[in-house]
mmCIF file of all heavy atoms in Angstrom:
data_model
loop_
_atom_site.group_PDB
_atom_site.id
_atom_site.type_symbol
_atom_site.label_atom_id
_atom_site.label_comp_id
_atom_site.label_asym_id
_atom_site.label_seq_id
_atom_site.Cartn_x
_atom_site.Cartn_y
_atom_site.Cartn_z
ATOM 1 N N PHE A 25 0.722 -11.663 4.750
ATOM 2 C CA PHE A 25 -0.321 -10.613 4.927
ATOM 3 C C PHE A 25 -1.526 -10.846 4.141
ATOM 4 O O PHE A 25 -2.665 -10.758 4.631
ATOM 5 C CB PHE A 25 0.380 -9.264 4.613
ATOM 6 C CG PHE A 25 -0.604 -8.093 4.914
ATOM 7 C CD1 PHE A 25 -0.437 -7.407 6.191
ATOM 8 C CD2 PHE A 25 -1.547 -7.672 4.063
ATOM 9 C CE1 PHE A 25 -1.378 -6.350 6.513
ATOM 10 C CE2 PHE A 25 -2.330 -6.541 4.309
ATOM 11 C CZ PHE A 25 -2.246 -5.914 5.565
ATOM 12 N N GLN A 27 -2.459 -13.624 2.683
ATOM 13 C CA GLN A 27 -3.170 -14.847 3.166
ATOM 14 C C GLN A 27 -4.099 -14.677 4.244
ATOM 15 O O GLN A 27 -5.275 -15.113 4.323
ATOM 16 C CB GLN A 27 -2.128 -15.946 3.463
ATOM 17 C CG GLN A 27 -2.564 -17.325 3.386
ATOM 18 C CD GLN A 27 -1.490 -18.376 3.443
ATOM 19 O OE1 GLN A 27 -0.356 -17.978 3.921
ATOM 20 N NE2 GLN A 27 -1.709 -19.543 3.142
ATOM 21 N N VAL A 28 -3.587 -13.950 5.324
ATOM 22 C CA VAL A 28 -4.395 -13.642 6.515
ATOM 23 C C VAL A 28 -5.562 -12.803 6.161
ATOM 24 O O VAL A 28 -6.741 -13.048 6.685
ATOM 25 C CB VAL A 28 -3.539 -13.077 7.633
ATOM 26 C CG1 VAL A 28 -4.339 -12.608 8.805
ATOM 27 C CG2 VAL A 28 -2.387 -14.037 8.017
ATOM 28 N N LEU A 29 -5.337 -11.747 5.358
ATOM 29 C CA LEU A 29 -6.427 -10.858 5.006
ATOM 30 C C LEU A 29 -7.531 -11.619 4.206
ATOM 31 O O LEU A 29 -8.757 -11.430 4.374
ATOM 32 C CB LEU A 29 -5.933 -9.683 4.167
ATOM 33 C CG LEU A 29 -6.972 -8.635 3.786
ATOM 34 C CD1 LEU A 29 -7.634 -8.008 5.006
ATOM 35 C CD2 LEU A 29 -6.338 -7.565 2.903
ATOM 36 N N MET A 30 -7.110 -12.511 3.241
ATOM 37 C CA MET A 30 -8.035 -13.346 2.550
ATOM 38 C C MET A 30 -8.956 -14.198 3.461
ATOM 39 O O MET A 30 -10.118 -14.357 3.270
ATOM 40 C CB MET A 30 -7.287 -14.250 1.531
ATOM 41 C CG MET A 30 -6.843 -13.601 0.376
ATOM 42 S SD MET A 30 -5.822 -14.724 -0.733
ATOM 43 C CE MET A 30 -7.156 -15.613 -1.563
ATOM 44 N N SER A 31 -8.419 -14.709 4.497
ATOM 45 C CA SER A 31 -9.074 -15.555 5.421
ATOM 46 C C SER A 31 -10.132 -14.766 6.219
ATOM 47 O O SER A 31 -11.094 -15.203 6.658
ATOM 48 C CB SER A 31 -8.210 -16.345 6.406
ATOM 49 O OG SER A 31 -7.525 -15.478 7.256
ATOM 50 N N HIS A 32 -9.774 -13.501 6.458
ATOM 51 C CA HIS A 32 -10.616 -12.529 7.271
ATOM 52 C C HIS A 32 -11.688 -11.905 6.343
ATOM 53 O O HIS A 32 -12.764 -11.542 6.858
ATOM 54 C CB HIS A 32 -9.906 -11.541 8.042
ATOM 55 C CG HIS A 32 -9.162 -12.042 9.197
ATOM 56 N ND1 HIS A 32 -8.061 -12.891 9.216
ATOM 57 C CD2 HIS A 32 -9.374 -11.779 10.499
ATOM 58 C CE1 HIS A 32 -7.685 -13.139 10.394
ATOM 59 N NE2 HIS A 32 -8.404 -12.508 11.238
ATOM 60 N N GLY A 33 -11.283 -11.575 5.121
ATOM 61 C CA GLY A 33 -12.205 -10.842 4.279
ATOM 62 C C GLY A 33 -12.069 -9.256 4.410
ATOM 63 O O GLY A 33 -11.986 -8.568 3.460
ATOM 64 N N ILE A 34 -12.035 -8.873 5.688
ATOM 65 C CA ILE A 34 -11.901 -7.457 6.015
ATOM 66 C C ILE A 34 -11.139 -7.393 7.388
ATOM 67 O O ILE A 34 -11.297 -8.247 8.212
ATOM 68 C CB ILE A 34 -13.227 -6.778 6.101
ATOM 69 C CG1 ILE A 34 -13.016 -5.159 6.278
ATOM 70 C CG2 ILE A 34 -14.117 -7.240 7.215
ATOM 71 C CD1 ILE A 34 -14.285 -4.397 6.065
ATOM 72 N N MET A 35 -10.416 -6.319 7.562
ATOM 73 C CA MET A 35 -9.633 -6.201 8.790
ATOM 74 C C MET A 35 -9.519 -4.724 9.167
ATOM 75 O O MET A 35 -9.380 -3.819 8.353
ATOM 76 C CB MET A 35 -8.112 -6.653 8.452
ATOM 77 C CG MET A 35 -7.295 -6.853 9.690
ATOM 78 S SD MET A 35 -5.737 -7.672 9.269
ATOM 79 C CE MET A 35 -6.270 -9.352 9.202
ATOM 80 N N GLU A 36 -9.760 -4.439 10.422
ATOM 81 C CA GLU A 36 -9.702 -3.117 10.918
ATOM 82 C C GLU A 36 -8.269 -2.573 10.887
ATOM 83 O O GLU A 36 -7.317 -3.427 10.981
ATOM 84 C CB GLU A 36 -10.186 -3.057 12.420
ATOM 85 C CG GLU A 36 -10.716 -1.741 12.967
ATOM 86 C CD GLU A 36 -9.679 -1.123 13.825
ATOM 87 O OE1 GLU A 36 -9.262 -1.766 14.750
ATOM 88 O OE2 GLU A 36 -9.463 0.073 13.664
ATOM 89 N N GLY A 37 -8.100 -1.233 10.733
ATOM 90 C CA GLY A 37 -6.759 -0.581 10.524
ATOM 91 C C GLY A 37 -5.682 -0.989 11.540
ATOM 92 O O GLY A 37 -4.645 -1.358 11.201
ATOM 93 N N SER A 38 -6.063 -1.006 12.869
ATOM 94 C CA SER A 38 -5.096 -1.300 13.853
ATOM 95 C C SER A 38 -4.670 -2.833 13.759
ATOM 96 O O SER A 38 -3.549 -3.133 13.958
ATOM 97 C CB SER A 38 -5.700 -1.048 15.260
ATOM 98 O OG SER A 38 -6.742 -1.875 15.507
ATOM 99 N N GLU A 39 -5.604 -3.689 13.473
ATOM 100 C CA GLU A 39 -5.272 -5.057 13.216
ATOM 101 C C GLU A 39 -4.298 -5.279 12.025
ATOM 102 O O GLU A 39 -3.296 -6.090 12.062
ATOM 103 C CB GLU A 39 -6.463 -5.952 13.006
ATOM 104 C CG GLU A 39 -7.450 -6.020 14.203
ATOM 105 C CD GLU A 39 -8.672 -6.859 13.820
ATOM 106 O OE1 GLU A 39 -8.939 -7.105 12.690
ATOM 107 O OE2 GLU A 39 -9.512 -7.090 14.770
ATOM 108 N N ALA A 40 -4.606 -4.586 10.978
ATOM 109 C CA ALA A 40 -3.747 -4.570 9.811
ATOM 110 C C ALA A 40 -2.372 -4.067 10.076
ATOM 111 O O ALA A 40 -1.380 -4.651 9.553
ATOM 112 C CB ALA A 40 -4.363 -3.748 8.652
ATOM 113 N N ARG A 41 -2.228 -3.061 10.856
ATOM 114 C CA ARG A 41 -0.929 -2.579 11.221
ATOM 115 C C ARG A 41 -0.090 -3.565 12.051
ATOM 116 O O ARG A 41 1.030 -3.768 11.794
ATOM 117 C CB ARG A 41 -1.007 -1.161 12.010
ATOM 118 C CG ARG A 41 -1.418 -0.023 11.065
ATOM 119 C CD ARG A 41 -1.390 1.241 11.821
ATOM 120 N NE ARG A 41 -2.262 1.425 12.847
ATOM 121 C CZ ARG A 41 -3.633 1.884 12.641
ATOM 122 N NH1 ARG A 41 -4.028 2.211 11.388
ATOM 123 N NH2 ARG A 41 -4.429 2.022 13.699
ATOM 124 N N LYS A 42 -0.827 -4.178 12.990
ATOM 125 C CA LYS A 42 -0.218 -5.307 13.825
ATOM 126 C C LYS A 42 0.226 -6.423 12.898
ATOM 127 O O LYS A 42 1.348 -6.964 13.055
ATOM 128 C CB LYS A 42 -1.104 -5.757 14.861
ATOM 129 C CG LYS A 42 -1.315 -4.825 16.109
ATOM 130 C CD LYS A 42 -2.284 -5.463 17.031
ATOM 131 C CE LYS A 42 -2.853 -4.457 18.051
ATOM 132 N NZ LYS A 42 -4.062 -4.972 18.733
ATOM 133 N N LEU A 43 -0.638 -6.850 12.006
ATOM 134 C CA LEU A 43 -0.275 -7.941 11.019
ATOM 135 C C LEU A 43 0.943 -7.563 10.167
ATOM 136 O O LEU A 43 1.788 -8.396 9.923
ATOM 137 C CB LEU A 43 -1.500 -8.265 10.231
ATOM 138 C CG LEU A 43 -1.281 -9.384 9.103
ATOM 139 C CD1 LEU A 43 -0.977 -10.710 9.772
ATOM 140 C CD2 LEU A 43 -2.558 -9.501 8.319
ATOM 141 N N HIS A 44 0.968 -6.298 9.717
ATOM 142 C CA HIS A 44 2.098 -5.903 8.914
ATOM 143 C C HIS A 44 3.398 -6.054 9.690
ATOM 144 O O HIS A 44 4.332 -6.603 9.105
ATOM 145 C CB HIS A 44 1.795 -4.294 8.565
ATOM 146 C CG HIS A 44 2.982 -3.714 7.848
ATOM 147 N ND1 HIS A 44 3.311 -2.382 8.129
ATOM 148 C CD2 HIS A 44 3.861 -4.099 7.007
ATOM 149 C CE1 HIS A 44 4.337 -2.047 7.344
ATOM 150 N NE2 HIS A 44 4.728 -3.063 6.669
ATOM 151 N N ARG A 46 3.953 -8.025 12.299
ATOM 152 C CA ARG A 46 4.257 -9.395 12.509
ATOM 153 C C ARG A 46 4.801 -10.128 11.380
ATOM 154 O O ARG A 46 5.765 -10.878 11.471
ATOM 155 C CB ARG A 46 3.001 -10.057 13.071
ATOM 156 C CG ARG A 46 3.180 -11.451 13.703
ATOM 157 C CD ARG A 46 2.079 -11.841 14.590
ATOM 158 N NE ARG A 46 0.825 -12.070 13.912
ATOM 159 C CZ ARG A 46 -0.233 -11.409 14.055
ATOM 160 N NH1 ARG A 46 -0.334 -10.331 14.779
ATOM 161 N NH2 ARG A 46 -1.346 -11.776 13.337
ATOM 162 N N ARG A 79 -8.484 -2.856 -0.789
ATOM 163 C CA ARG A 79 -8.994 -1.469 -0.748
ATOM 164 C C ARG A 79 -9.159 -1.060 0.699
ATOM 165 O O ARG A 79 -9.443 -1.772 1.595
ATOM 166 C CB ARG A 79 -10.307 -1.326 -1.467
ATOM 167 C CG ARG A 79 -10.188 -1.272 -2.948
ATOM 168 C CD ARG A 79 -11.460 -0.888 -3.544
ATOM 169 N NE ARG A 79 -11.410 -0.863 -4.983
ATOM 170 C CZ ARG A 79 -12.432 -0.968 -5.798
ATOM 171 N NH1 ARG A 79 -13.637 -1.074 -5.365
ATOM 172 N NH2 ARG A 79 -12.286 -0.938 -7.115
ATOM 173 N N LYS A 80 -8.915 0.292 0.845
ATOM 174 C CA LYS A 80 -9.053 0.914 2.163
ATOM 175 C C LYS A 80 -10.406 1.625 2.255
ATOM 176 O O LYS A 80 -10.900 2.239 1.283
ATOM 177 C CB LYS A 80 -7.906 1.830 2.421
ATOM 178 C CG LYS A 80 -7.842 2.442 3.816
ATOM 179 C CD LYS A 80 -6.639 3.408 3.939
ATOM 180 C CE LYS A 80 -6.493 3.996 5.302
ATOM 181 N NZ LYS A 80 -5.274 4.901 5.349
ATOM 182 N N GLY A 81 -11.096 1.389 3.352
ATOM 183 C CA GLY A 81 -12.344 2.072 3.534
ATOM 184 C C GLY A 81 -12.542 2.557 4.982
ATOM 185 O O GLY A 81 -11.724 2.366 5.782
ATOM 186 N N ARG A 88 -13.302 4.521 11.766
ATOM 187 C CA ARG A 88 -12.002 3.828 11.714
ATOM 188 C C ARG A 88 -11.713 3.244 10.366
ATOM 189 O O ARG A 88 -12.641 2.760 9.651
ATOM 190 C CB ARG A 88 -12.039 2.671 12.772
ATOM 191 C CG ARG A 88 -11.903 3.249 14.189
ATOM 192 C CD ARG A 88 -11.975 2.098 15.201
ATOM 193 N NE ARG A 88 -12.071 2.564 16.533
ATOM 194 C CZ ARG A 88 -12.386 1.863 17.653
ATOM 195 N NH1 ARG A 88 -12.770 0.659 17.448
ATOM 196 N NH2 ARG A 88 -12.342 2.455 18.808
ATOM 197 N N ALA A 89 -10.407 3.244 9.960
ATOM 198 C CA ALA A 89 -10.096 2.625 8.673
ATOM 199 C C ALA A 89 -10.178 1.120 8.722
ATOM 200 O O ALA A 89 -9.955 0.484 9.704
ATOM 201 C CB ALA A 89 -8.583 3.000 8.361
ATOM 202 N N HIS A 90 -10.453 0.550 7.557
ATOM 203 C CA HIS A 90 -10.546 -0.954 7.329
ATOM 204 C C HIS A 90 -9.895 -1.298 6.032
ATOM 205 O O HIS A 90 -9.935 -0.394 5.084
ATOM 206 C CB HIS A 90 -12.034 -1.470 7.336
ATOM 207 C CG HIS A 90 -12.652 -1.528 8.730
ATOM 208 N ND1 HIS A 90 -12.917 -0.335 9.430
ATOM 209 C CD2 HIS A 90 -12.982 -2.532 9.510
ATOM 210 C CE1 HIS A 90 -13.525 -0.732 10.597
ATOM 211 N NE2 HIS A 90 -13.554 -1.987 10.632
ATOM 212 N N TYR A 91 -9.458 -2.460 5.895
ATOM 213 C CA TYR A 91 -8.924 -2.941 4.605
ATOM 214 C C TYR A 91 -9.627 -4.235 4.213
ATOM 215 O O TYR A 91 -9.877 -5.094 5.078
ATOM 216 C CB TYR A 91 -7.427 -3.261 4.808
ATOM 217 C CG TYR A 91 -6.533 -2.090 5.082
ATOM 218 C CD1 TYR A 91 -6.406 -1.598 6.369
ATOM 219 C CD2 TYR A 91 -5.958 -1.365 4.040
ATOM 220 C CE1 TYR A 91 -5.612 -0.392 6.606
ATOM 221 C CE2 TYR A 91 -5.172 -0.125 4.273
ATOM 222 C CZ TYR A 91 -5.012 0.196 5.587
ATOM 223 O OH TYR A 91 -4.317 1.337 5.822
ATOM 224 N N ALA A 92 -9.967 -4.259 2.881
ATOM 225 C CA ALA A 92 -10.704 -5.418 2.422
ATOM 226 C C ALA A 92 -10.152 -5.871 1.073
ATOM 227 O O ALA A 92 -9.661 -5.081 0.258
ATOM 228 C CB ALA A 92 -12.251 -5.114 2.236
ATOM 229 N N LEU A 93 -10.209 -7.137 0.782
ATOM 230 C CA LEU A 93 -9.730 -7.688 -0.484
ATOM 231 C C LEU A 93 -10.956 -7.763 -1.445
ATOM 232 O O LEU A 93 -11.944 -8.368 -1.094
ATOM 233 C CB LEU A 93 -9.142 -9.105 -0.387
ATOM 234 C CG LEU A 93 -8.507 -9.747 -1.607
ATOM 235 C CD1 LEU A 93 -7.218 -8.938 -1.996
ATOM 236 C CD2 LEU A 93 -8.149 -11.159 -1.263
ATOM 237 N N LYS A 164 -20.399 -10.679 7.025
ATOM 238 C CA LYS A 164 -19.977 -9.209 7.014
ATOM 239 C C LYS A 164 -20.515 -8.411 5.766
ATOM 240 O O LYS A 164 -19.803 -7.748 5.101
ATOM 241 C CB LYS A 164 -18.567 -9.102 7.086
ATOM 242 C CG LYS A 164 -17.933 -9.585 8.448
ATOM 243 C CD LYS A 164 -16.494 -9.506 8.614
ATOM 244 C CE LYS A 164 -15.995 -9.929 9.877
ATOM 245 N NZ LYS A 164 -14.896 -10.789 9.841
ATOM 246 N N HIS A 176 -22.598 -3.475 5.994
ATOM 247 C CA HIS A 176 -21.312 -3.638 6.744
ATOM 248 C C HIS A 176 -20.217 -2.881 5.917
ATOM 249 O O HIS A 176 -20.342 -2.640 4.780
ATOM 250 C CB HIS A 176 -20.946 -5.111 6.826
ATOM 251 C CG HIS A 176 -19.760 -5.513 7.809
ATOM 252 N ND1 HIS A 176 -18.518 -5.289 7.463
ATOM 253 C CD2 HIS A 176 -19.834 -5.842 9.013
ATOM 254 C CE1 HIS A 176 -17.701 -5.544 8.446
ATOM 255 N NE2 HIS A 176 -18.515 -5.919 9.400
ATOM 256 N N THR A 177 -19.225 -2.449 6.688
ATOM 257 C CA THR A 177 -18.074 -1.786 5.996
ATOM 258 C C THR A 177 -17.457 -2.619 4.852
ATOM 259 O O THR A 177 -17.181 -2.086 3.806
ATOM 260 C CB THR A 177 -16.899 -1.496 7.058
ATOM 261 O OG1 THR A 177 -17.550 -0.843 8.215
ATOM 262 C CG2 THR A 177 -15.798 -0.636 6.475
ATOM 263 N N ARG A 178 -17.436 -3.921 5.031
ATOM 264 C CA ARG A 178 -16.881 -4.770 3.902
ATOM 265 C C ARG A 178 -17.801 -4.613 2.695
ATOM 266 O O ARG A 178 -17.215 -4.422 1.548
ATOM 267 C CB ARG A 178 -16.911 -6.148 4.402
ATOM 268 C CG ARG A 178 -16.499 -7.209 3.197
ATOM 269 C CD ARG A 178 -16.853 -8.587 3.518
ATOM 270 N NE ARG A 178 -16.596 -9.423 2.431
ATOM 271 C CZ ARG A 178 -16.885 -10.696 2.316
ATOM 272 N NH1 ARG A 178 -17.474 -11.309 3.223
ATOM 273 N NH2 ARG A 178 -16.540 -11.475 1.187
ATOM 274 N N ILE A 181 -17.142 -1.129 1.001
ATOM 275 C CA ILE A 181 -15.848 -1.149 0.332
ATOM 276 C C ILE A 181 -15.939 -1.969 -1.041
ATOM 277 O O ILE A 181 -15.569 -1.453 -2.146
ATOM 278 C CB ILE A 181 -14.702 -1.729 1.198
ATOM 279 C CG1 ILE A 181 -14.426 -0.809 2.347
ATOM 280 C CG2 ILE A 181 -13.401 -1.852 0.360
ATOM 281 C CD1 ILE A 181 -13.457 -1.448 3.388
#
Side-chain angles (χ1 to χ4, degrees):
F25 183 95
Q27 201 171 16
V28 174
L29 182 59
M30 282 175 78
S31 68
H32 283 71
I34 187 168
M35 194 172 277
E36 202 256 313
S38 62
E39 291 175 352
R41 287 190 291 277
K42 284 178 196 165
L43 178 63
H44 172 214
R46 195 158 69 245
R79 280 190 184 161
K80 188 178 182 179
R88 290 178 183 162
H90 285 71
Y91 294 86
L93 185 65
K164 299 180 178 132
H176 192 280
T177 307
R178 174 197 178 185
I181 294 173

